[in-house]
Amino acid sequence: MAIQQTEPARRTYALHLVDADLDHLERAIREPENRMLTAQYWRQRILSIRRQFELTREQRARAEALLESLSQRQRNARPAMAGLR
């Protein structure tokens, strides 16, 4: 008898691989934004990791901190962009 899943399967990823992804995102997000790799791109990468994998408490906290960092960057960029108009 088959068991039906009510939500999409989430993979348990080797902890060190998720940590490596988060390390990369932390480094990349510190770099200045460019036309191809915008804050929206990085936000989608972080959300994808959160959606696809079972994260530890520490990994979830790191992902949340990255999302907050992106939000802060966007809030700071808006006044600068308004001055260019």
Side-chain angles (χ1 to χ4, degrees):
M1 180 178 198
I3 298 174
Q4 290 184 338
Q5 291 184 341
T6 57
E7 62 182 65
R10 294 175 65 176
R11 295 184 298 175
T12 303
Y13 208 40
L15 291 177
H16 70 282
L17 296 177
V18 172
D19 285 333
D21 279 346
L22 291 170
D23 288 343
H24 168 70
L25 291 168
E26 287 166 342
R27 282 190 310 274
I29 288 171
R30 283 192 299 262
E31 296 294 320
E33 190 172 309
N34 68 48
R35 296 174 82 195
M36 302 253 326
L37 302 176
T38 64
Q40 184 62 27
Y41 168 81
W42 295 116
R43 182 177 311 287
Q44 290 304 317
R45 289 275 313 269
I46 297 163
L47 293 174
S48 175
I49 289 170
R50 279 191 359 186
R51 227 181 3 260
Q52 292 177 350
F53 305 110
E54 283 294 327
L55 304 179
T56 65
R57 182 176 294 127
E58 179 184 331
Q59 290 168 335
R60 281 192 306 274
R62 288 175 70 189
E64 289 303 317
L66 286 167
L67 290 170
E68 179 55 35
S69 176
L70 286 172
S71 294
Q72 184 65 41
R73 178 192 287 188
Q74 286 181 308
R75 283 191 297 269
N76 292 341
R78 284 187 189 119
M81 293 300 290
L84 294 175
R85 294 182 187 164

